[in-house]
Amino acid sequence: MDRSARDALQRGMGRLADGDRSAFEPVFAALWPILRAFAARALPDRAEAEDAAQSALLKVFARAAEFDSRRDALAWALGIAAYECRTLRKTRLRRREDLSAEPPQGGQAHTPEDAAIDRNLHAAAAQILGALSVLDAETLLAAARGRRDPSATFRKRLERAIQRFRKEWRARHGAD
Amino acid sequence: MEQIDLRSRARRAYELGRARAGAKAAGAALLLAAVAIVLGRPLDLTAVLSAALVPLVFVLAFRGRAAGRAVWPGLAAGGAAMLLPLAVRTAGCELFGPSCMRFCLPAAILGGAIAGAGIGLLAARQGENDREFLLSGMAIAALAASLGCTLAGASGVLGMAAAAVAAGTPIWLGARVRR
């Protein structure tokens, strides 16, 4: 974004914060592509990036009345977008953890490629389980086999085991 | 989501955000009314004044522009002017006894003058649309101050309003002439 466009956005946001409805269209036109591009860089999945960008845009407009025109409008909007991306990434991670804790459904990999990926993932997971303490490994396996103890102690133990598993995974593979 | 749909949702989000800002200001106006009641103002009179003040504050804050910018200064100035006569009655009567009531009218006038000068000073800094700011700020301040100034009767309200105009207008006019 060049300097003049950034200044125009700054002025537009200031007018919008002041209640000038005529600034809505130019601000929308300037912000939408920026937030979209930002979310696309922050999230690998295109659909998720689109969701995050839309959600960020709606939040920017919902909070436009609170915008302090002494602040940088672009940085403010990108801050909201970054928060949205982070929230979406966390939600996705949580969902993935929930899915991985579900008992296996007996479904087979559809293609040889899927099967190879599955094998690799299982091998990597087994390696990490081996590196964890016996208690952590047992807790994770029990959860994965659907033998979840409903007690709060088990839930906390599982939470800690997942955290240690994730840390170990990150150390070895560099990503979640 | 289609871009047109997204645009209309963004617009709705913006208007809701402004309504939230209006509700916040209206809440502050209600708080002033509650303080007035707690400090002994009659419920019916306070309710009548609040029935004018609260919607006015909401609409102006929701609408925005110069009138919207005047909402919080108006409430602050009016709140201060409202508290002066009430302070005279609550704390002053402890000090001066029953004769404290004769200070109510001067307190209302002093409060009005302070509020008017404050709004006038801020209006002078507004640049364009300063008149809109001044009128809205004065209206809100006068209504808010009336919550307390009715203690000195109709003369208290009139004195407060006259003092506000007398103190605020020259400041604002002076700034206009200098521009």
Side-chain angles (χ1 to χ4, degrees):
Chain A
M1 188 180 217
D2 61 29
R3 189 75 230 170
S4 65
R6 197 169 174 162
D7 287 346
L9 176 66
Q10 182 73 29
R11 279 194 302 275
M13 273 309 297
R15 280 167 54 206
L16 211 52
D18 198 36
D20 183 355
R21 268 78 173 172
S22 68
F24 177 85
E25 277 301 322
V27 170
F28 181 90
L31 264 186
W32 177 229
I34 296 169
L35 295 181
R36 212 174 183 185
F38 179 86
R41 274 197 302 274
L43 295 165
D45 187 279
R46 238 184 91 192
E48 277 182 353
E50 190 78 7
D51 281 353
Q54 285 179 9
S55 174
L57 185 84
L58 295 180
K59 287 216 169 119
V60 164
F61 280 106
R63 288 164 59 182
E66 299 161 20
F67 173 69
D68 177 359
S69 53
R70 285 168 299 186
R71 290 177 67 182
D72 184 76
L74 182 64
W76 181 72
L78 289 181
I80 292 174
Y83 182 80
E84 281 307 306
C85 290
R86 206 163 47 236
T87 308
L88 209 74
R89 212 181 293 144
K90 273 187 189 161
T91 312
R92 187 187 56 190
L93 197 69
R94 219 172 295 135
R95 208 166 44 216
R96 205 190 291 164
E97 273 163 11
D98 287 348
L99 283 175
S100 69
E102 274 176 14
Q105 299 294 312
Q108 292 295 315
H110 297 297
T111 64
E113 195 186 334
D114 287 343
I117 291 170
D118 271 3
R119 269 199 308 277
N120 284 342
L121 282 174
H122 276 113
Q127 220 175 10
I128 288 167
L129 277 179
L132 297 178
S133 71
V134 178
L135 184 66
D136 281 349
E138 275 176 1
T139 307
L140 287 170
L141 285 172
R145 285 171 186 145
R147 295 203 300 266
R148 278 171 180 240
D149 183 343
S151 71
T153 315
F154 181 83
R155 205 174 56 243
K156 280 184 186 155
R157 198 188 296 156
L158 178 63
E159 206 174 287
R160 281 195 294 270
I162 289 172
Q163 271 173 13
R164 282 192 274 267
F165 182 94
R166 199 188 294 159
K167 195 176 162 193
E168 192 69 30
W169 183 282
R170 229 179 268 138
R172 285 168 193 241
H173 304 289
D176 287 327
Chain B
M1 195 191 299
E2 290 292 316
Q3 191 155 334
I4 295 170
D5 185 27
L6 181 64
R7 185 177 278 113
S8 62
R9 282 184 66 191
R11 184 64 196 249
R12 202 164 47 239
Y14 173 67
E15 298 298 348
L16 278 173
R18 291 220 66 89
R20 243 192 331 267
K24 226 184 270 179
L30 273 176
L31 189 69
L32 282 180
V35 168
I37 290 168
V38 167
L39 291 176
R41 299 310 300 136
L43 186 65
D44 49 354
L45 191 61
T46 309
V48 168
L49 288 169
S50 306
L53 178 65
V54 172
L56 177 72
V57 159
F58 176 83
V59 168
L60 293 183
F62 173 74
R63 180 181 167 267
R65 313 297 293 263
R69 285 197 297 275
V71 166
W72 286 102
L75 281 175
M82 170 197 104
L83 285 174
L84 264 179
L86 292 177
V88 164
R89 199 178 87 156
T90 48
C93 288
E94 295 278 317
L95 293 170
F96 305 110
S99 61
C100 69
M101 290 310 279
R102 67 195 157 95
F103 295 115
C104 277
L105 182 61
I109 292 172
L110 179 66
I114 292 170
I119 299 288
L121 274 174
L122 289 173
R125 286 194 210 153
Q126 293 300 310
E128 58 181 48
N129 298 325
D130 52 347
R131 195 186 309 229
E132 188 183 328
F133 183 97
L134 186 79
L135 286 175
S136 309
M138 287 286 194
I140 292 167
L143 275 171
S146 298
L147 291 168
C149 292
T150 48
L151 191 63
S155 56
V157 175
L158 285 174
M160 176 273 298
V165 173
T169 312
I171 294 172
W172 169 66
L173 280 176
R176 270 187 90 99
V177 168
R178 276 197 296 277
R179 271 208 301 271

